[in-house]
Amino acid sequence: MSNRKPIICCPHCGSTEGIFTKTTLYRIPWRCGFNMEEQENGEMYDNAEGQSGGDMAYCQNCRKVICRMSTLRKQWKERSTRI
């Protein structure tokens, strides 16, 4: 068990709204017409062939880095084993 305090809010602004990661998706089909107007792309992410990144957790409110995702994953794993 870790001796660190669990991360339950943003250490910068105190928000409990949540986190986001910056992930790059590969080979996403994007549709547009010959006039460069965007067409229906509602399912574009369903056909992504891979992803990279997403290593850092950012605050949804102030957008500053909170920690590495590996830190949160360890915290979530520890919490699920205690329940």
Side-chain angles (χ1 to χ4, degrees), residues 21-26 50-56 58 69 73:
T21 62
K22 296 180 180 178
T23 304
T24 302
L25 299 173
Y26 296 95
Q51 73 178 41
S52 68
D55 298 328
M56 303 301 287
Y58 298 84
M69 282 302 297
R73 287 187 192 106

Side-chain angles (χ1 to χ4, degrees), residues 4-79:
R4 294 181 120 193
K5 287 178 123 179
I7 299 169
I8 57 172
C9 66
C10 175
H12 306 289
C13 70
S15 173
T16 58
E17 189 172 339
I19 61 156
F20 71 91
T21 62
K22 296 180 180 178
T23 304
T24 302
L25 299 173
Y26 296 95
R27 296 193 170 176
I28 300 170
W30 180 74
R31 296 175 182 90
C32 73
F34 288 106
N35 59 359
M36 284 303 294
E37 284 193 29
E38 185 174 358
Q39 295 176 339
E40 172 57 41
N41 284 301
E43 299 174 357
M44 66 190 291
Y45 299 109
D46 294 344
N47 298 314
E49 294 184 15
Q51 73 178 41
S52 68
D55 298 328
M56 303 301 287
Y58 298 84
C59 174
Q60 288 182 19
N61 186 51
C62 70
R63 305 180 68 80
K64 292 182 180 178
V65 174
I66 295 174
C67 65
R68 293 189 172 279
M69 282 302 297
S70 59
T71 302
L72 285 177
R73 287 187 192 106
K74 286 178 193 172
Q75 177 179 309
W76 296 333
K77 184 178 179 182
E78 288 175 5
R79 188 176 356 171

